[in-house]
Amino acid sequence: MLKLLVGALLFVCCGYVGYGINAYYRRRSSLLTEILRYIDALEKGISFLQSPPLEITSSYIADRKSDAVKILSEYVKLLEKGAFSKQDCMQAVNTKLLTGYEKNIVAEMLFSLGRSDLDTQLAELLKYRANLTPISESAKQNYKKYGALSFKLGILAGLAAMLLVA
């Protein structure tokens, strides 16, 4: 009886680890996709409405819940504070879902918003979109490949552990 209980516990633990890896890939993919959507909103807001970044960002995060919204909420706090540095933007972008290079790109983008004329800002947003699009596509492919696989392998590893113990 004890062996069956230990086997069931191993099965649940392995399945949970597989689910956790799946959730990481899903959150990373959705974060990068959401950042690209934010860049779209910035382009529209800056070019058509000519709104300041604080107004665009506040309206963008108004009724959303995601990892990107956490980053953008920190950015809104920086905008409301007034003067801030690129280091402050790096701290706002601090998440385990992004690599150092990606954090640097996003922080640089947030820091540069509102600091130049309209045409220069739109050109910079296109540059950041060009940098982040392949990263986002890669994250989506990794989620499809490794995310689904990790959950299934977690379940299979749990079954194998349960059979070995029992």
Side-chain angles (χ1 to χ4, degrees), residues 10-72:
L10 283 173
F11 173 75
V12 169
C13 289
C14 289
Y16 186 72
V17 167
Y19 176 76
I21 294 170
N22 180 5
Y24 168 80
Y25 282 110
R26 184 184 70 247
R27 288 177 60 201
R28 176 175 163 71
S29 176
S30 71
L31 172 65
L32 289 166
T33 302
E34 192 74 24
I35 290 172
L36 289 174
R37 285 188 196 135
Y38 175 65
I39 292 174
D40 285 340
L42 282 172
E43 287 175 347
K44 290 175 186 171
I46 290 172
S47 62
F48 296 121
L49 302 175
Q50 296 183 352
S51 302
L54 176 62
E55 186 178 315
I56 296 169
T57 307
S58 296
S59 66
Y60 183 79
I61 64 173
D63 58 345
R64 297 176 192 240
K65 291 184 180 179
S66 68
D67 293 311
V69 170
K70 292 176 187 173
I71 292 171
L72 294 175

Side-chain angles (χ1 to χ4, degrees), residues 117-131:
D117 63 285
L118 177 73
D119 294 331
T120 306
Q121 279 187 1
L122 291 174
E124 285 183 1
L125 286 175
L126 287 174
K127 178 185 82 169
Y128 293 122
R129 171 186 298 292
N131 285 338

